[in-house]
Each structure stands twice: as C-alpha cells, then as structure tokens.
Amino acid sequence: MKTEKPKILVAPLNWGLGHATRCIPIVEALLENGFEPVIASDGVALHILQKEFPHLIFLELPSYQIEYAKNGAFFKWKLIKNSPKMMEAIYHERQLTKKWVKDYQLVSIISDNRLGVYSKKVPSVFITHQLNVLTGNTSWITSKLHQYIIKKYNECWVPDSAELPNLTGKLGHIKNPHFKINYIGPLSRLNKIELPKKYDLMVILSGPEPQRSMLEAHLKEELKRYIGDVIFIRGVVESEQKTEQVASITFYNFMTSKQLEQTFNESEMVLCRSGYTTVMDLAKLEKKAFFIPTPGQFEQEYLAKKYKKEGIVPYAKQDKFVIENLYEIDLYKGLQHYNMNLDWKKLFLLFERK
C-alpha cells in the first residue's frame, strides 16, 4: 500500500525572480527527504516554479501589487501608497492558508517573505535575509515591524552565515533577537562547472517593472560600444522561450535553471542587479561581476556599497552606468563561495513536530 508523503507548503514572494529561485534548492531537498512540496505564489514567481517542477501541486496567492516608481527616489512613497492593497492581499492569503492547511492536510509551512502565510496549527518557517529592512530614515520602524511579523513563526531561516565572513552584513544580523534564527548558509540552485568560455559578458536582469525595462533599454544602447560576445537574459518569463541574435549579442527572454547554470559557467563576467539571490548565485559560482542596484531599493544599494568597499565587486548607479565601467571588474577579487555543509535532515526535524 502506497503511503502518502507529508505535504509542506512553500510560498515565495513574487518580487522579481529571486524569492522563487532561491526556493528551488529547498523544494529539491524536501523531495529528496520524502516530503511533497505544495507551491503557492503568484505571477512570474509561480510561473518559473511551474516550469521547474511541473509535477507538483500549485496554488495561487493574491498579488501584493508591488510597483516601482519610474524615479527611484519615490520608490518608498510608492510602496506606502500601495500599502492598503498589500495589507488586503496579506489578509486574503492568511485566510487561504487556513483553508489549505485543512484541505491539503499540510504538516508545515515555509514562507519566503509572504507575510500572511503561517499557521498556529502546524510548524511555520519564515525565510528572509533582511532581519533589518532598510528604508532610509524610516529603517528603524520598518525593521521593528518586520521583526514583529517574524515572531509569529516557529523559526526564521536566514540564507547566510551567522559569523564572518558573511554576505548580508547588517541586513541579516541583529543583536538580541526575540525569535529563533537558524542561519542555513547561502542558497543557490546553481553549481560551478569547468566549461570552456563562450561569452565575454553575461547580462541578466530581473525585478519589478518599470525599472527592469528601463535598465534593459539603457544597456542595449551601451552594449553597442562593447567589443565581445554577449549573452543577454532579459528576465521576462513567458509561456515560450524566445531567442534573438543581434550582431554579437544573443538575447533570451528567460532561461531554466539548467540553462542558466551552463551560461554562468560559460561566461567570463556578469553584469546584473545586486539582489541577494543573484549575489548568492555569483558566490556559489565564484564569478566576477559588476552591479547596478535597482534605484530606490535600499537593500540592493547597501549590498552594492558593501561589496565595493570590501574590494569584491564594483557598482554604478543606473543612470550613471557606461559600458567602460566594466574595465573596473579586474580591479576587484570577485565573490567567493563558502560551504556551510547544511544538514537538511536536521533542519527538517521541525516538520516532524506533532
């Protein structure tokens, strides 16, 4: 007689692709350890995971309707303006979670920054690299609010190291926490493979609109002066994969994990945002890179400044970037991988709690 595997809800936030893609190694580990992941999200985050795990159960959560301002200086105020819609979405996902715990007989929940996806009836985990949420002069209150929400969960998993060296700096480390923190080490779906170099430059974009499109348009103009072979992944997840060759640039709308792994390993250097999931991928692959943080997103700006100060990766503001900036890459040591030997079985013991 076939025994039904215990079901665990995995719910990443739909903000770019980072939250969804860093959940891929967690979903794979759950499968390897005898669990049945049930995926819940919305938009491109849901679509990318459907492409990676077509055999799993997928559920749709309400959208937080996160929008970026065209002017990065107004990003925070745009979020505040949209906060009523966000709060409504959090309320609805809270109600859906209660229903799904019963309907699917869930034994646990893993929420990657989904603020309403938790339950008092089953162990619930919150994944974040931002114990401190940077928002300029309001950082103290946004950090306190975020920590208040995290306290509702049984554990908080931070994809970083507790000690030095670490990747998150003050984002992922706080003094005297009032909730259980488990530092699980950087998460990446990719592996380093020795392959012949095919591309001089890999460009990979992601993140909410309109900033993704604005950066794409800017880089297309700058790359007209670049001498070398370029692969350009636009970060637009659609029903079908599309490619286009323009001079020495190969464009893709999106790539699967396997394709990305090969392309990263075939590329000499990478031009991208300084989002934390991208940082973890680059560290795992030990790549040299150049960062263009999303305007107005304090987290990405903080990480870009941190890595430049530490001599790891250079960066430029989006409106100031010129292709000649890439010459700076050779002056920096690049991101390095450190392996924490994560014990998934031990980590998953929480889910066996009755």
Side-chain angles (χ1 to χ4, degrees), residues 220-239:
K220 282 180 176 178
E221 283 299 311
E222 287 298 317
L223 284 168
K224 290 177 181 178
R225 304 200 312 278
Y226 184 76
I227 299 172
D229 293 317
V230 179
I231 185 154
F232 194 124
I233 299 100
R234 299 174 54 235
V236 179
V237 181
E238 297 173 310
S239 57

Side-chain angles (χ1 to χ4, degrees), residues 167-178:
L167 295 174
T168 59
K170 68 180 180 181
L171 289 178
H173 300 80
I174 57 175
K175 295 179 179 179
N176 305 316
H178 300 294

Side-chain angles (χ1 to χ4, degrees), residues 15-22 129 167 186-190 202-207 260 264 270-292 294 299-300 303 307 313 335:
W15 184 319
L17 299 177
H19 295 279
T21 57
R22 74 183 183 189
H129 62 279
L167 295 174
L187 292 171
S188 177
R189 55 186 163 150
L190 309 177
M202 175 183 183
V203 179
I204 180 165
L205 305 183
S206 69
L260 276 174
F264 267 114
V270 182
L271 175 60
C272 57
R273 295 292 195 195
S274 50
Y276 187 60
T277 299
T278 302
V279 168
M280 291 191 291
D281 286 338
L282 293 170
K284 180 79 173 289
L285 300 169
E286 299 184 314
K287 301 300 293 186
K288 287 203 164 194
F290 193 98
F291 287 144
I292 303 176
T294 303
E299 168 217 353
Q300 289 195 16
L303 290 174
Y307 302 137
V313 177
L335 285 149

Side-chain angles (χ1 to χ4, degrees), residues 64-83:
Y64 281 18
Q65 300 187 50
I66 299 168
E67 297 177 6
Y68 270 71
K70 286 188 176 181
N71 185 332
F74 301 135
F75 170 62
K76 179 168 65 174
W77 308 113
K78 185 83 168 180
L79 280 184
I80 292 171
K81 182 182 176 182
N82 290 340
S83 60

